[in-house]
Amino acid sequence: MSAKNPEYDFKWCPGCGDFGVRRALEWAVEERGERTGEPIYNNVIVAGIGCSGNLVHLYEGEQQPYGIHGIHGRTLPIALGVKMGRPDLNVIVVAGDGDFLSIGQEHIAPQAARNLDITCVIMDNGVYGLTKGQSSPTGEQNMVTNSTPYGKLEVGLNPLQFFLSVGVSFVASAFSGKPRDMAKLMGQAMDHPGFSIINVQSPCTTYNDTFEMLKGSKNKGIEPALYDIPEDHDPTDWNAALEIARADGVPVGILYQEQYSQPLHQRIIDTIHPQFQAKTVPEMLEAFVL
Amino acid sequence: MSAKNPEYDFKWCPGCGDFGVRRALEWAVEERGERTGEPIYNNVIVAGIGCSGNLVHLYEGEQQPYGIHGIHGRTLPIALGVKMGRPDLNVIVVAGDGDFLSIGQEHIAPQAARNLDITCVIMDNGVYGLTKGQSSPTGEQNMVTNSTPYGKLEVGLNPLQFFLSVGVSFVASAFSGKPRDMAKLMGQAMDHPGFSIINVQSPCTTYNDTFEMLKGSKNKGIEPALYDIPEDHDPTDWNAALEIARADGVPVGILYQEQYSQPLHQRIIDTIHPQFQAKTVPEMLEAFVL
Amino acid sequence: MERRDFVVRFAGEGGQGVVTAAEFLARAAATVGYHVMTFATFPSQIKGGPTYTQVRISTDPVLSSGDEIDVLVALNLEAYNNHKAEVREDGVVMYDTVFEIDAETRALGVPIEVLAKEAGEARSANMVILGALAHLVNMPKEYFQDFVAERFKGRDKVVDFNTKALELGRLHAATSEFQLGSLMAPIRPEGKQILIKGNDALSIGALQAGVDYYVGYPISPATPIFIFMEKNLVGPGRFAYQATSEIESITAIIGAGYAGKKAMTATAGPGFTLMSEGLGLAWMAEIPCVVVDVQRGGPATGLPTKTEQSDFQTALHPAHGDSKLPVIAPGTIEECFYSAIHAFNWAERYQGPVILLSEHMMAERSQNIPMPDLDLVPPETRETYTGDNGYLRYDGAELSAMPIPGSPGAYVANGSEHDSYGDTTHLAERHVQMTERRFGKLKLLEDGHYESEGTDSPIAIMPWGGSKGPGREAWEALIASGQSIGWYYTMFLHPLPAKLLEELLQKELVIVPELNYLGQFSSYLRTYGIRAESITQYTGLPFKVSVLEERITKRVEAHGRGVVRV
Amino acid sequence: MERRDFVVRFAGEGGQGVVTAAEFLARAAATVGYHVMTFATFPSQIKGGPTYTQVRISTDPVLSSGDEIDVLVALNLEAYNNHKAEVREDGVVMYDTVFEIDAETRALGVPIEVLAKEAGEARSANMVILGALAHLVNMPKEYFQDFVAERFKGRDKVVDFNTKALELGRLHAATSEFQLGSLMAPIRPEGKQILIKGNDALSIGALQAGVDYYVGYPISPATPIFIFMEKNLVGPGRFAYQATSEIESITAIIGAGYAGKKAMTATAGPGFTLMSEGLGLAWMAEIPCVVVDVQRGGPATGLPTKTEQSDFQTALHPAHGDSKLPVIAPGTIEECFYSAIHAFNWAERYQGPVILLSEHMMAERSQNIPMPDLDLVPPETRETYTGDNGYLRYDGAELSAMPIPGSPGAYVANGSEHDSYGDTTHLAERHVQMTERRFGKLKLLEDGHYESEGTDSPIAIMPWGGSKGPGREAWEALIASGQSIGWYYTMFLHPLPAKLLEELLQKELVIVPELNYLGQFSSYLRTYGIRAESITQYTGLPFKVSVLEERITKRVEAHGRGVVRV
Ligand SMILES: Cc1ncc(C[n+]2csc(CCOP(=O)(O)OP(=O)(O)O)c2C)c(N)n1
Ligand SMILES: Cc1ncc(C[n+]2csc(CCOP(=O)(O)OP(=O)(O)O)c2C)c(N)n1
Ligand code: SF4
Ligand code: SF4
Ligand SMILES: [Mg+2]
Ligand SMILES: [Mg+2]
């Protein structure tokens, strides 16, 4: 977009993790297009409000997907609207941890229960970037930010555990520094027939630079927090997934994927359509005739 | 209230489970008052909107607690306001499953992370009673109601699992038909220094009469769904609690109680107060002097 | 004495069949060709609680539910005490002899249950009452009998005991000396008639408009629309669903509207308020959708089962920032049907959110209306973009065709201020252009129709919404009594029909009867420079015609004496 | 040429020190006794993006940030291109010689970095600029030198290289022929002065009022208030906390207000809209609380870093049903302080929610003001109930003492319509009584003060909020030029001071300069019958004084020609 649109001038800070996420998403969408033959305009990106949400304007592929950049915290119900209005579209949510897990948190469990067939990419940086560095739900207890000058009082939210607990049918974890791997995960998530979430560690270089913590530093003797989920992990095993989510470190890969996942729109086609005989307006009115 | 106030004319339907909950709460509050010597007016009941929420007006003890009967779904943040404004008060939330788990669901995980020191009594009847029988989050998949004429599409929410997963520090399950037992649980929940929730099976005799399912019927050969949590269950064991929550049947008793539970207001006293030297207004202004 | 008109009120405890009896009476009367209107009010509780339902039966079209009661059917003592004052002097109280009332000249005790059992079935209690009622107004017994026979066709036993109950009730009443004159034979209205409630009429109107996406959350008095959609808005390409809150409802229909659907939700005040932020987004991003607010008593949780017209101000400006949403308000059950089509047409035409303001009063009452004319208001559909990629969605100062996902022309629908592509911008010129673009589109909606009569008079009355009926009845009475007052009415509240605005600006005084404290609609008219003033009422009940007559007359007289408006 | 007034704009990319330079200049100038005002605008992004900050320095009190630029300091080519048009004819553009500009007569290239390095430290670039600026207006070099010496006292090296950089900048400018005359020596204002931003002044005002409970959620431009409270509102009995959303903020402060606290939150448009439902509850249940809305450009996510006065309508009627909330809007930085006290006083006095409408424009600008007088507006506290149990909390038609949990007098604060106990009711008479009670309490707030001058004139101007400054400056110029126009101003927007309302009703024309499209405040005045009309602007920027002068003059002339209002 910015390529063709000189008026749009938003920029992420140098080194911001979101650059990698954007690249990965471009690749994944392109790859999906090539694979399925669907045009790019069959994709709709629903973006949250935050530095992260600006991804929707910065998408710089040859062709651009549709986008909605709405209001803070409401990506999921907007996506519900798009997807259930047009189940043929590929719907992708991009949002920050504040947008998705604080003000927008209420919308996660319901989509999980419905198994809405969309893919969410969460740019988790542990802070509110766009409003300049306040505490976010995923920030750890005692963390000092400008909104928690004496240390954050509440326990940090473990997003992967939360997603699993409320029944999200595809849960993955990724790192913005590895866009190729992430693009692959995104492709798998989009192919998953149901509600999928990829929680991406996407560090905020300005307010919460976790690159070193994530990648480790040989010089400073810091062990990397990131690790690849072992090949032998069975992603259909919910308990094993929960164990990974609750363990130390930041896993990369698919934690959980429900084996027989039937998305909401499919359930409707399977259970309601056969039961129902649509009435016309004259037929409906007829029922009220005196 | 209704005793002294002839203008108030709300009534629950005959047999409604909420009668038992009210009785239990009256007992528990009275008992607490006797035990602690605190007057009844130290209690504040924050009520949801629904048949259940009317409990706040129907409280018929000698003396009445304070009450807030506000807007649909907002019991918890209102309780946050009361409790953190006045940590010396005993704050009790009474709400229905629709109020607490649908529109109000977003407020649960944050209070759990904060460990707000209040007690919630959820009257779970699997439907929206006051709006005449629509589907609620705890209703089961395929359930037919007037809002799900072709069967509910999404998976029913398991409230106990949800509470445990988001870190509620005291989780119990009760049955409205056993008010004495429930009163005891309520007393324990109020004594727990942190966020406690008692999920009460409180059947809606008009729209979802589950008494038979819960209590069973010898005549019809229906096994009761209710069972007492075995004495040997260790309520400090989170995994064991989760197992109970995920298993079949409706447990009665305490599933989980965090052993070292430090509520939000205590954390502030312990961590912030020692760090902080309060400035006066003149001191603050002085910092801006030219 | 011949009567053209007759009002019965059934009052008792919820669960005593008050609503059923009234609906049965209304349907029976309408079936033989009378005009009928019901009115119900009850507490916000499921079983029990004081409830009453009123039925007005008339040989002429009915505009209001009737000021005074001809017959009060009291099913318990409390009901008797609460309602007796509203019985007209020559009216009758019919009460169940299971309780005693204080001495009362015009009271007819009926041993309802005894007679019903005698007829063979306690459930036929309502028929006993109807039989007695029939006698009181000298109605041919065939009316009800035929209706029963038709209604329960094939279930002979039911027909039998109900017919007997009717007869026993009639005979019992005949033993008394009470009589209210004779209700004239019905003048059967021309054309097919339907008996329908406002919520149902509105729902079917929406289907006629082409609604194909509905997400809603239960709330009185809008729930019946939601339930109607859940049941009927199904099949390929259609979707109706229960949200977890009104915030979800509004944002979901915005997503659907963006995706090309005709999307709608319905709610009442508390839910409407929760939709505020979403409505601001729909306005800003230019996304068509329809939000029905079936008003009830406010503020906050308010009075869920009472009627009020107090959401107008908030409907105009639900969200922060510069916006002023299109608002349509039906004033009759018929208009509930047509206004739903207009609402969708507006949403599609100007590409934005439209508020359809209904009221508890209309939502829950039954009335006979002519079978709606499906050709009267042709459904419109937005202009969609059919070109290639690289489209400037928000170019220029006027409406532009809307691209739909799945076709070329991808853009970002943006809740931040944006440029022609939909990308975020902070340029002053853009904000000016886009603000003017958004407001400019309202011009497309200024051609709504309106009613005007007696336009020569410098004084007019102009009710809105559900106050149309009582307002009209009062106006007709005032005209008949020789007063000179103009009549204006439109369901298009914002933007007002341009010509109507011009006409109103000429008036010395425009009197607006409305059911709220603030005089919300007259305040709105005054912002345009119209010399408008309200007659307000905030009891949770509709206007009585006689009260309106009196208050209008007083205001007109004061005007004559040179009293100027505030 | 002697000058009393001087405007500099620093423009560049975010991160180039634009804000720091301006703040430094303002503080230095204010320290020696000038009056100063800054104005900043930047995109909604963290680093980079076109940013500018303007500083006005004057020997007299400053009312607006200045229409035309005397000196533009352009730190990149884009900044130069975007801003050069606003430089006055005899002004100067100072630009960094790292880039080239097209031929321009009055442009002074400064090798900023080179000179800074020469001074010994690249970080002293800003001082090079300030040195050059000092030369342009012939400012004694001691002003900045002394300020640097004081500011960095004890850090000799820093004092040293900054002083050098100042001097190098000055000398470089002196090699050019540019001169803007001499800025007159400052006339030091009497009494202690502070240099402060609107958000800080408002926060301290709230503390002075006795706020003891704050729950908030980050949002521009209100975040600084939140952060101030997080830092300062701590200690026993006090609480400041980050909510998960604005719905949580508002309902939490309602709970706290009920529990006896002076509770507050601050937000901007999108958050304010989300608070609508809660505000309706606070009105209905009569719970004191203060909600600050620091307005930004709307609607929806809108223009987070631009200024606008477009939330007024929604502030009055945020929620469905009959309510009309008290609204106070400060118009200056000083008023930010005092209005916060008034807002709490109102909330406590009438027992309900009060909206304090600030603006981006004031929130983010620095200005010197006299040290606030802590005795001027004594904090008020609600009347609390001290009797026994069995109290009728909502009895009668007037305010009644409020019981506080933990003391006798328990009742239910109810969002449904209620009786005197607070229990839910559906009775018509109760709804009438309670509605009148709620609105009647507003009478307690009608004694606000206001400014009025030139009251003989049939025409007046009456800006509100942040448009007060430019409006006043324009008015003073018009009066000086011999025009006869009255001046009205109040920060008490609703309810208006009763006497002011009376005065305004006498006017032939009240002109309201305001930063929104709809003319929201003049519309509101027209609902009272006042012949008000707006001069609107919706660019996201404040009014220029010259533009206002011209537009007011035109309107007054049109009035003279008999043009009547719409
Ligand atoms: C209703 C509402 N409240 C608050 C805001 C202000 N706001 C904008 S972005 C943001 C948080 C962003 O945090 P996150 O989602 O983590 O995104 P990030 O910037 O870190 O990528 C907030 C609170 C808003 N736009 N709307
Ligand atoms: C914002 C809002 N939306 C909807 C409603 C309507 N409403 C009242 S009670 C209720 C649901 C009640 O269900 P639940 O909480 O389970 O209580 P129950 O009646 O079953 O005890 C709803 C949706 C409302 N009052 N406010
Ligand atoms: S503030 Fe943080 S999240 Fe935002 S753009 Fe900068 S680095 Fe990225
Ligand atoms: S509807 Fe159900 S929940 Fe409500 S009072 Fe009746 S039985 Fe109880
Ligand atoms: Mg973030
Ligand atoms: Mg329920």
Side-chain angles (χ1 to χ4, degrees), chain B residues 10-13 16-18 51 125 129-130 203-207, chain C residues 46:
Chain B
F10 180 88
K11 286 192 201 82
W12 284 311
C13 307
C16 175
D18 298 349
C51 295
N125 56 15
L130 192 57
C204 170
T205 42
T206 298
Y207 297 111
Chain C
I46 299 308

Side-chain angles (χ1 to χ4, degrees), chain D residues 123-395:
Chain D
R123 276 183 298 145
S124 67
N126 275 334
M127 295 300 143
V128 174
I129 298 169
L130 296 185
L133 275 175
H135 168 78
L136 291 180
V137 290
N138 214 0
M139 209 188 239
K141 61 180 180 179
E142 291 72 27
Y143 287 2
F144 286 146
Q145 280 178 8
D146 292 357
F147 182 73
V148 162
E150 179 64 27
R151 172 84 169 236
F152 302 109
K153 199 157 43 187
R155 294 152 68 195
D156 289 354
K157 252 181 78 178
V158 181
V159 173
D160 194 49
F161 67 67
N162 277 324
T163 310
K164 260 195 205 134
L166 279 170
E167 189 58 13
L168 288 174
R170 216 177 60 81
L171 291 172
H172 180 86
T175 62
S176 78
E177 79 280 28
F178 299 126
Q179 257 285 331
L180 288 161
S182 304
L183 187 63
M184 271 176 58
I187 310 169
R188 191 176 277 281
E190 270 178 49
K192 231 182 195 173
Q193 295 276 312
I194 60 175
L195 182 70
I196 195 167
K197 291 184 178 173
N199 273 340
D200 291 327
L202 192 152
S203 300
I204 303 179
L207 278 152
Q208 170 66 7
V211 64
D212 46 16
Y213 192 101
Y214 186 99
V215 170
Y217 189 72
I219 188 165
S220 305
T223 309
I225 300 175
F226 167 49
I227 290 173
F228 190 100
M229 294 296 171
E230 283 283 2
K231 185 143 198 273
N232 291 294
L233 194 64
V234 283
R238 290 167 150 196
F239 183 64
Y241 204 64
Q242 179 166 345
T244 56
S245 77
E246 290 86 354
I247 290 184
E248 199 180 63
S249 304
I250 183 69
T251 42
I253 70 166
I254 287 172
Y258 170 83
K261 310 301 277 187
K262 287 190 175 177
M264 160 175 163
T265 188
T267 186
F272 185 75
T273 295
L274 274 174
M275 293 182 186
S276 308
E277 203 200 6
L279 287 167
L281 171 61
W283 168 268
M284 187 70 162
E286 304 189 28
I287 296 175
C289 58
V290 171
V291 174
V292 180
D293 173 7
V294 186
Q295 296 165 93
R296 63 191 215 184
T301 305
L303 287 157
T305 57
K306 296 285 163 180
T307 208
E308 202 160 273
Q309 305 180 284
S310 58
D311 294 356
F312 175 68
Q313 278 290 1
T314 305
L316 277 182
H317 304 284
H320 64 283
D322 269 316
S323 69
K324 199 168 178 181
L325 302 194
V327 180
I328 300 180
T332 63
I333 305 296
E334 248 183 300
E335 289 179 4
C336 284
F337 178 85
Y338 294 114
S339 66
I341 311 177
H342 286 298
F344 275 97
N345 286 357
W346 274 21
E348 296 283 312
R349 198 191 305 162
Y350 102 111
Q351 296 176 14
V354 172
I355 311 303
L356 186 54
L357 273 190
S358 184
E359 290 156 50
H360 178 267
M361 191 200 309
M362 285 182 290
E364 302 265 359
R365 83 167 183 243
S366 290
Q367 194 178 346
N368 65 302
I369 61 168
M371 174 62 91
D373 175 355
L374 298 187
D375 298 324
L376 194 64
V377 187
E380 297 176 26
T381 298
R382 75 193 73 170
E383 192 193 339
T384 52
Y385 174 73
T386 52
D388 291 333
N389 279 334
Y391 178 57
L392 296 185
R393 160 73 177 112
Y394 300 107
D395 206 25

Side-chain angles (χ1 to χ4, degrees), chain C residues 347-474:
Chain C
E348 297 283 313
R349 198 190 305 162
Y350 102 112
Q351 297 175 14
V354 173
I355 311 303
L356 186 54
L357 273 190
S358 183
E359 289 156 52
H360 177 267
M361 192 201 307
M362 285 182 290
E364 302 264 1
R365 81 167 185 241
S366 289
Q367 193 178 346
N368 65 301
I369 61 167
M371 174 62 90
D373 175 353
L374 299 187
D375 297 324
L376 193 64
V377 187
E380 298 175 25
T381 297
R382 75 192 74 170
E383 191 193 338
T384 52
Y385 174 73
T386 51
D388 292 332
N389 279 336
Y391 178 57
L392 297 185
R393 160 76 177 107
Y394 299 107
D395 205 26
E398 277 167 36
L399 188 82
S400 41
M402 187 167 168
I404 306 296
S407 322
Y411 71 103
V412 180
N414 197 340
S416 297
E417 193 55 286
H418 40 266
D419 60 20
S420 317
Y421 290 96
D423 288 335
T424 307
T425 182
H426 298 85
L427 292 185
E429 313 87 80
R430 279 291 180 202
H431 188 40
V432 171
Q433 175 216 326
M434 290 295 167
T435 302
E436 290 173 356
R437 173 186 164 97
R438 287 186 288 267
F439 281 99
K441 293 189 303 167
L442 292 176
K443 287 243 172 306
L444 302 170
L445 312 180
E446 286 178 357
D447 62 346
H449 55 269
Y450 60 96
E451 300 175 8
S452 64
E453 283 174 67
T455 53
D456 287 347
S457 171
I459 301 180
I461 79 160
M462 182 176 170
W464 66 278
S467 296
K468 178 185 187 184
R472 178 77 191 186
E473 206 172 322

Side-chain angles (χ1 to χ4, degrees), chain B residues 60-94:
Chain B
E60 285 176 337
E62 258 290 271
Q63 286 185 302
Q64 123 184 40
Y66 275 81
I68 305 183
H69 199 185
I71 43 180
H72 191 41
R74 310 302 165 195
T75 52
L76 285 178
I78 292 177
L80 172 75
V82 176
K83 184 70 192 183
M84 296 312 297
R86 289 284 304 278
D88 57 310
L89 300 173
N90 184 44
V91 179
I92 302 154
V93 161
V94 297

Side-chain angles (χ1 to χ4, degrees), chain A residues 49 71-74 97-107 128 137, chain B residues 106, chain C residues 247 277, chain D residues 217 243-247 270-271 274:
Chain A
I49 305 296
I71 43 179
H72 192 41
R74 310 303 165 195
D97 48 333
D99 188 283
F100 199 75
L101 290 164
S102 180
I103 190 169
Q105 188 236 84
E106 64 188 283
H107 304 296
Y128 285 21
Chain B
E106 65 189 282
Chain C
I247 290 184
E277 202 200 7
Chain D
Y217 189 72
T244 56
S245 77
E246 290 86 354
I247 290 184
L274 274 174

Side-chain angles (χ1 to χ4, degrees), chain B residues 9-11 13 49 51 70-72 74 102-103 128-132 134-135 146-147 149-150 153-154 206-207, chain C residues 13 43-47 49-50 217-220 223 226-227 230-231 234 241-246 274 300-301:
Chain B
D9 53 30
F10 180 88
K11 286 192 201 82
C13 307
I49 306 295
C51 295
I71 43 180
H72 191 41
R74 310 302 165 195
S102 181
I103 190 169
Y128 285 22
L130 192 57
T131 49
K132 305 197 174 173
Q134 294 77 35
S135 168
N146 58 29
S147 68
Y150 308 102
L153 288 162
E154 67 267 27
T206 298
Y207 297 111
Chain C
E13 180 88 356
S44 183
Q45 116 183 26
I46 299 308
K47 285 189 178 161
Y217 189 72
I219 188 165
S220 305
T223 309
F226 168 48
I227 290 174
E230 282 284 4
K231 187 145 196 273
V234 284
Y241 205 63
Q242 179 166 346
T244 56
S245 77
E246 290 86 353
L274 274 174
T301 305

Side-chain angles (χ1 to χ4, degrees), chain B residues 47-59:
Chain B
I49 306 295
C51 295
S52 39
N54 284 289
L55 193 156
V56 71
H57 303 287
L58 295 169
Y59 192 104

